[in-house]
Amino acid sequence: MNGVTIGQAAVFAGVTIKTVRHYEKNGLLAEPARDSSGYRRYGSAELLRLVQVRTLAAAGVPLAEIGPLLDADADSFATELADVERRLTERIEELIVRRDTLHRLADGDRTLLPDRAVELLARLPGLGFPPAEVAAAREGWVLARALVPEGFDDYLTDVENALEDTEFLALSRRASESATWEPDDPRVEEVATALAAHYLAHPAQLKIVTGLQDAATRYKLIRHHGEERESASARLAALVEAKLRAAGVYIPGSR
């Protein structure tokens, strides 16, 4: 009666009897001595070995590597354990990233944009921007992040800073209103003049226009994404760019 049965050993280690026998078949566990009734009995040494094997296997160590690892000298064993821990940590970090990605899938915006961009979009309605303008900003930002990822964080910073300027906010809201005007409405020219003058007077905010100019084609795709060719919004953008060019600001290409 010296020791426990295979069933008791399996429960103790948190595995099945089949798993214990599988470990024995692969030479990871020595078959223990049998009692007078012919039952195998697992003592403390066998239980320790079983728990060690189960722990390493659960950590992702292949069964073929577990035997040599457990039979190594103390220094080698410690070194190998450190390597197993490193690999396990990497797996944990990868799983955390996957879990976070799954959470982001529930929110379409967070799948495509970083949190700070989503939070900035959420602020826009409260600042007086209509839903169509927020939707256009979202589409443009997704495109910008895809085409010029290296400059997107700086661009968001420029937008965040500009939104703290009440004059910029007022002009931006006025520009949003122009989407409902006729292209030849004289107010379009007035807003364009005011916007260009504001940008020229505030170089930090001018980077909202110039900051994504990594390549001319990409700039135009981002800057004019979603504009109807003959709309007031398209005319306003073209006028602002023309006025900035006339002031010596580099803007890629002409419309």
Side-chain angles (χ1 to χ4, degrees), residues 213-243:
Q213 309 180 354
D214 186 63
T217 301
R218 287 190 285 180
Y219 168 81
K220 288 194 288 184
L221 278 171
I222 295 167
R223 183 68 175 166
H224 304 290
H225 174 71
E227 287 181 357
E228 296 180 15
R229 186 174 296 275
E230 302 303 326
S231 68
S233 295
R235 180 169 177 247
L236 176 63
L239 285 172
V240 171
E241 291 183 352
K243 293 177 185 297

Side-chain angles (χ1 to χ4, degrees), residues 2-4 12 32 41-52:
N2 184 25
V4 299
F12 179 81
R41 292 288 175 174
Y42 294 78
S44 61
E46 288 79 20
L47 290 174
L48 174 61
R49 178 84 175 195
L50 175 57
V51 171
Q52 289 175 328

Side-chain angles (χ1 to χ4, degrees), residues 156-174:
L156 286 182
T157 298
D158 295 334
V159 173
E160 288 169 342
N161 292 336
L163 291 178
E164 300 300 320
D165 183 340
T166 56
E167 182 182 354
F168 175 82
L169 269 178
L171 285 170
S172 297
R173 286 193 291 260
R174 186 67 169 161

Side-chain angles (χ1 to χ4, degrees), residues 4 17 30 54 59 82 90 93 97-98 123 139 145 148 152 160-161 178 190 195 211 232 235:
V4 299
I17 293 175
R54 184 261 297 163
E90 290 176 352
E93 292 172 349
V97 171
R98 291 183 182 181
R123 285 182 56 199
E139 292 298 319
R145 189 188 184 205
V148 194
F152 189 65
E160 288 169 342
N161 292 336
S178 71
E190 294 172 5
L195 272 172
R235 180 169 177 247

Side-chain angles (χ1 to χ4, degrees), residues 14 56 80 112 125 144 189 201:
L56 290 170
E80 290 298 323
L112 299 170
E189 174 78 31

Side-chain angles (χ1 to χ4, degrees), residues 74-119:
D75 289 341
S76 299
F77 182 67
T79 300
E80 290 298 323
L81 275 186
D83 185 58
V84 171
E85 181 179 2
R86 177 188 57 77
R87 284 183 283 168
L88 187 59
T89 299
E90 290 176 352
R91 284 179 58 198
I92 291 171
E93 292 172 349
E94 180 184 353
L95 289 172
I96 290 173
V97 171
R98 291 183 182 181
R99 181 200 62 190
D100 292 345
T101 300
L102 285 176
H103 289 168
R104 296 180 77 87
L105 286 177
D107 184 334
D109 283 349
R110 293 186 189 276
T111 304
L112 299 170
L113 293 168
D115 288 343
R116 64 186 296 217
V118 176
E119 292 161 4

